[in-house]
Amino acid sequence: MASPLFRLFRYARPHRGKIAWAMFCSFTNKICDIAPEVLIGVAVDVVVRGEKSYLGQMGFTAAFDQMALLGILTFLIWGGESLFEYLYETAWRNLAQTIQHELRLDAYAHAQTLDMAYFEDRSTGTLTSIMNDDVNQLERFLDRGANQIIQVTTAFLGVGAIFFALQPTIALLSLIPVPIIIAGSFYFQTKAEPLYADVRERAGAIAGRLAGNLAGIAVIKSYTAEALEVKKLAEESDGYRAANGRAIRISSAFIPLIRMAILAGFLVTLVYGGYLTLSGQLAVGAYSVMVFLTQRLLWPMTELAQVFDLYQRAMASTRRVLDLLDTPASEKTAGQAFDRAACKGAIHFDNVSFAYAGRERVVTEVSATIPAGTTAAFIGTTGSGKSTLAKLLMRFYHPSHGRIMLDGQDIAGLSVSDLRSSIGFVSQDVFLFDGTIAENIAYGRPGAAAEDVERAAKLAEAHEFITGLPDGYGTAVGERGQKLSGGQRQRISLARAILKDAPILILDEATSAVDNDTEAAIQRSLETVGVGRTVLVIAHRLTTIRNADQVFTIESGRITSVMSRAEWAAQADAQV
């Protein structure tokens, strides 16, 4: 696989113009940065040699003219350095923010095209860490590290050219440390890359544990497991600290290597260059330029250790983000258009079988026909496969065998968005977003009129409790709706599905965790909203399915019986 840096450049291809401009600003700023050392040498040459100086040979023989020219050049160079520093700062930072923004959005958008199985195999914390922490790590590198790499490279090439022009022998000797530094960089990069990859993985594990613990804080408190969870987090955090320590030991060893190489190069210029100057083989001005430029070139290389550390962290993060983007989209979003307005809601399961990855079948050769506009109930024990059928109908998963037909069309060939827009879904595990009640009800129809939201709430028998709240429909529900009771959340979830006004409605154990009053309210709502649409009720509480036109009993993933409403009513009466 290509290196993370190459993959990043390939990803950032639309911003090539901005990258080129930022690189030009960094390059020009560094040229202006090393130019004052050259002017110092020229000034020394003017003082020592007078009319025979470099400027004198260019026609500026008067001392005032020479110093005036040096003053003008110094002003222009310092002004140019300041200008291009501002330009490269804004260019790199804006570029970093733009790429960060686009990469995060692309990663999130791509993640939504992946099957539910992908999310079941990965923790929420890990994915959050990739889309947030890893993207931020890349932004920090682009914000600072990229400019430093360009400037060090520019300084090396520019100073090297000046050295060879002034004294090739000293140039060769003083620049000997540079290949050592570069070779050391590659060596440490090879050693550090897997270490920083481990650091990012452990950071994701910590994020996952924190996210899980905060979501389950009520359970932790109820079992007085606070100390246990602190201990577990301490183990995760200590592993992260140890991984960072291993990476730090490698990156820290880089600084002494650079310092000793720098010292060798500086001593060559200082001692050997001084000897040549004293023996008349090198002009004093040239010697001054070389001494100052040696420091200007080599000492900034001490910062390479920090840049190297930043680079390795960024590349480890980049690999994780781009690996997510390169994960093949398992959910086929494109397909034949399906007109929701024309959907009748006739559903047919044709010999459907399904197994979750690495597990035995949970649905086996299921065949069932649900006529349009009718209510079908699926009952059975926990784990019998009832909810899996609903997930297959919504194409959260794909059947291992068989097919599912909607109005005579195989749903595997339909557009996912068109299919799901035709289905309203109410689950047992209600999820409300951190916003107002009105925003959560209107989630399936953004921009819905307030009267439509209120009407849906009334049909779900939620209007009364909503208006009893201090802020009514503007009440904030909190994260995951934690400010509301379970029954209130369930009624809002039903109102959300009602407002969507889809031709098919699925209730997946929607009343299993609510009180009798809420269950009765949902039943009354279904009698109204179920008219003219196909309703699938998945339940194990028999009271929930009293109005079903068909009742399918599922055991171990197979349909063992099918009863009409009359047959089911007769059996229920006999049991009573």
Side-chain angles (χ1 to χ4, degrees), residues 437-438 440-442 449-467 472-473 488 490-500 521-522 525 529:
I437 290 177
N440 274 280
I441 294 177
E451 53 268 24
D452 292 334
V453 171
E454 185 174 317
R455 176 179 174 276
K458 288 179 178 178
L459 288 173
E461 298 203 16
H463 178 72
E464 184 176 349
F465 90 78
I466 293 173
T467 53
Y473 284 86
Q488 290 172 333
Q490 193 64 271
R491 294 190 198 192
I492 290 174
S493 177
L494 178 59
R496 180 166 60 190
I498 291 172
L499 183 61
K500 186 178 180 181
I522 292 175
S525 299
V529 301

Side-chain angles (χ1 to χ4, degrees), residues 386-452:
K386 308 184 301 297
S387 296
T388 299
L389 290 176
K391 294 175 182 178
L392 290 172
L393 177 59
M394 298 186 71
R395 273 182 59 185
F396 288 165
Y397 301 93
H398 305 282
S400 307
H401 301 285
R403 58 181 182 166
I404 302 174
M405 311 295 289
L406 175 59
D407 290 348
Q409 300 183 66
D410 189 343
I411 66 170
L414 301 180
S415 161
V416 166
S417 60
D418 288 351
L419 171 66
R420 292 176 185 165
S421 70
S422 303
I423 301 173
F425 182 64
V426 182
S427 68
Q428 175 184 0
D429 183 20
V430 176
F431 187 95
L432 299 183
F433 294 91
D434 190 4
T436 67
I437 290 177
E439 288 170 344
N440 274 280
I441 294 177
Y443 188 75
R445 260 179 64 189
E451 53 268 24
D452 292 334

Side-chain angles (χ1 to χ4, degrees), residues 151-166:
Q151 292 211 332
V152 168
T153 304
T154 301
F156 170 67
L157 296 176
V159 172
I162 295 172
F163 268 38
F164 277 101
L166 294 176

Side-chain angles (χ1 to χ4, degrees), residues 92-102 139 142-143:
W92 282 116
R93 288 185 178 183
N94 287 330
L95 182 64
Q97 292 297 322
T98 299
I99 292 180
Q100 174 201 44
H101 168 73
E102 293 179 352
E139 180 233 346
L142 291 174
D143 195 20

Side-chain angles (χ1 to χ4, degrees), residues 126 129-130 132-135 137 140 195-205 240 243-244 312-318 320:
T126 297
S129 177
I130 290 174
N132 190 36
D133 294 342
D134 287 330
V135 173
Q137 190 70 50
R140 285 190 284 271
L195 299 179
Y196 279 114
D198 185 38
V199 168
R200 298 315 307 160
E201 290 296 330
R202 291 181 181 272
Y240 173 71
N244 253 313
Q312 284 300 333
R313 291 178 183 272
M315 291 305 102
S317 295
T318 298
R320 281 160 50 93

Side-chain angles (χ1 to χ4, degrees), residues 483-550:
K483 293 183 179 180
L484 303 177
S485 70
Q488 290 172 333
R489 291 197 296 269
Q490 193 64 271
R491 294 190 198 192
I492 290 174
S493 177
L494 178 59
R496 180 166 60 190
I498 291 172
L499 183 61
K500 186 178 180 181
D501 196 25
I504 300 171
L505 178 63
I506 300 176
L507 281 80
D508 184 8
E509 301 281 13
T511 63
S512 63
V514 298
D515 55 47
N516 291 333
D517 289 341
T518 300
E519 181 183 14
I522 292 175
Q523 285 291 343
R524 290 192 296 270
S525 299
L526 285 179
E527 291 176 3
T528 302
V529 301
V531 175
R533 75 183 76 230
T534 304
V535 181
L536 273 67
V537 180
I538 296 167
H540 64 266
R541 288 168 66 165
L542 303 184
T543 54
T544 309
I545 61 173
R546 62 187 182 190
N547 294 322
D549 298 300
Q550 295 182 91

